[in-house]
Amino acid sequence: MVPVGRFFGVPVYFAPSWLIIAALLTIYYGPIVRDAVPGVSDSTAYLVAFAYAVLFALCVVAHELGHTAVSLALGTPVRRVVIFLLGGVSEIERDPQRPRDEFLVAAAGPLVSIVLTGLAALGYQFIDHATILGVLLALLLWSNLVVAVFNLLPGLPLDGGRLLRAAVWTIARSRLTGTRAAAWTGRAVAVAVAVSGLVADRTSWGYTAGLLSIALAAYLWFGAGQSLRAGELLERLPALNLLELLRPGLFVPPDLSVAEALRRAWSGNARGLVLVDSAARPQAIVDEVMIGSVPPERRPWTSLVEVARPLEPGLVLTLGLSGEDLLAAVRATPAHEYLVVNEDGSPAGILAVTDLAATLSGST
Ligand SMILES: [Zn+2]
């Protein structure tokens, strides 16, 4: 990833795969520029085509910054903007909480592309068409128009899919219903893009365009599925409560053997082990996966310390965390188990990620 700058405090990156599309555009448009501008040399024509590829990428950056600016104005942080082979993406921290916000963030990108189309069209009126600037304006006019129209196709993960979701969300008063509708139309858009790639003409450029269409279709298909899963997860989040997920923990000295610790845990009905120091302060938490991998014959000779993870700050969660905050805390420090403490810092129990995952997948 190559950083190209920060806008509104959000870093913008170019992925290496962007070079592929830049090279294809340069090779494809070089001869077109040469034919359109009388007296231009081959090398200049390819240079102009490459300049077009860069300017087009900057237009895609502007489109993404439209999403980013509105998202920031509505109080939702944006992690970064990435430009890659198939376009650009604004990585917004969390999905909008209201259909109005969803609508505004989604509409801002295509609006920027439409404005850029208009500006290119305006400039084109006043420029001799058979010049380098004239050809560049014509190319930017058409490519921004394509970006605007394509992104407005009504299926997730495209902007048009987000607009559709916002509309259905408003009417049905359910975000999940909106997500489901826009994810299915998103898959329909993906199929249509794939079919257009398959029926592309069979010249060498037809194959390249066909391959790109199929890559785009796959990207859209998986993007639609991902949006659907994220939407379903979001529905379950408010119900996520640390108190209900709590396992009773057993607090043991670190010099215990694995065999003895397991015996005490089973007889005491505990489902998690925390190592404490001589002052009964929690020091480490036993990893269920690691303790389970100790063969039975070695358990009397293996110390608990060997299967425990020292308690770094991220492994201690405070009771009262719920929903998206709880998920964010677990994502920040991935582990199998966490020590849960009361507001006053006293131990309350153990959170096992398997329990969290079971709740999120709806199996409990
Ligand atoms: Zn967009």
Side-chain angles (χ1 to χ4, degrees):
M1 291 283 189
V2 181
V4 293
R6 292 177 92 89
F7 297 88
F8 317 117
V10 177
V12 177
Y13 293 91
F14 273 50
S17 65
W18 172 76
L19 285 173
I20 298 173
I21 196 73
L24 289 175
L25 289 174
T26 305
I27 297 166
Y28 185 73
Y29 283 107
I32 291 174
V33 172
R34 188 189 51 210
D35 296 343
V37 184
V40 80
S41 71
D42 269 12
S43 53
T44 306
Y46 280 103
L47 208 60
V48 170
F50 180 70
Y52 157 66
V54 173
L55 287 171
F56 179 33
L58 293 179
C59 289
V60 176
V61 170
H63 171 111
E64 294 306 327
L65 289 177
H67 294 306
T68 294
V70 173
S71 181
L72 292 176
L74 292 170
T76 308
V78 180
R79 212 172 301 126
R80 58 181 189 174
V81 170
V82 178
I83 305 301
F84 69 113
L85 174 67
L86 301 171
V89 62
S90 304
E91 295 179 0
I92 294 172
E93 288 285 357
R94 59 170 75 188
D95 277 330
Q97 306 295 306
R98 292 180 297 178
R100 191 205 67 164
D101 293 359
E102 172 88 312
F103 185 90
L104 292 174
V105 172
L111 192 65
V112 169
S113 297
I114 289 167
V115 168
L116 290 171
T117 305
L119 289 176
L122 193 67
Y124 193 61
Q125 299 299 314
F126 299 104
I127 297 288
D128 181 357
H129 297 177
T131 60
I132 288 173
L133 193 58
V135 172
L136 276 177
L137 283 173
L139 290 174
L140 290 171
L141 193 172
W142 281 108
S143 45
N144 277 297
L145 188 63
V146 166
V147 167
V149 170
F150 182 74
N151 275 290
L152 285 171
L153 292 177
L156 285 171
L158 295 170
D159 298 332
R162 291 177 154 264
L163 295 176
L164 176 65
R165 168 159 69 183
V168 175
W169 184 355
T170 305
I171 295 163
R173 295 177 184 281
S174 154
R175 167 153 61 182
L176 188 56
T177 306
T179 301
R180 285 192 174 131
W184 279 108
T185 55
R187 284 174 172 154
V189 169
V191 170
V193 169
V195 168
S196 79
L198 291 172
V199 301
D201 66 289
R202 288 287 169 262
T203 63
S204 60
W205 277 107
Y207 277 117
T208 310
L211 280 174
L212 276 178
S213 300
I214 285 160
L216 187 57
Y219 172 74
L220 293 175
W221 180 274
F222 288 115
Q226 215 166 34
S227 301
L228 188 57
R229 281 190 299 280
E232 286 171 343
L233 187 74
L234 220 50
E235 282 309 291
R236 296 201 192 95
L237 275 184
L240 209 57
N241 186 333
L242 202 42
L243 195 59
E244 289 164 18
L245 292 166
L246 220 50
R247 288 182 172 192
L250 189 66
F251 296 82
V252 292
D255 51 8
L256 232 50
S257 72
V258 164
E260 174 60 15
L262 285 174
R263 193 193 61 75
R264 288 197 199 177
W266 286 327
S267 67
N269 253 340
R271 294 181 59 212
L273 289 160
V274 176
L275 307 190
V276 293
D277 63 9
S278 52
R281 285 184 301 245
Q283 298 296 313
I285 191 159
V286 169
D287 187 312
E288 199 174 59
V289 174
M290 281 167 76
I291 199 171
S293 67
V294 178
E297 68 276 11
R298 287 198 46 213
R299 285 178 187 168
W301 320 110
T302 307
S303 161
L304 262 193
V305 177
E306 292 174 43
V307 294
R309 182 169 170 183
L311 277 176
E312 51 182 291
L315 293 182
V316 182
L317 307 175
T318 308
L319 211 58
L321 270 181
S322 63
E324 283 191 60
D325 296 331
L326 174 56
L327 208 62
V330 167
R331 276 198 189 127
T333 313
H336 295 119
E337 287 85 16
Y338 298 83
L339 174 65
V340 181
V341 296
N342 295 302
E343 302 276 353
D344 63 2
S346 61
I350 310 283
L351 170 72
V353 161
T354 48
D355 296 344
L356 186 64
T359 307
L360 289 177
S361 66
S363 62
T364 56

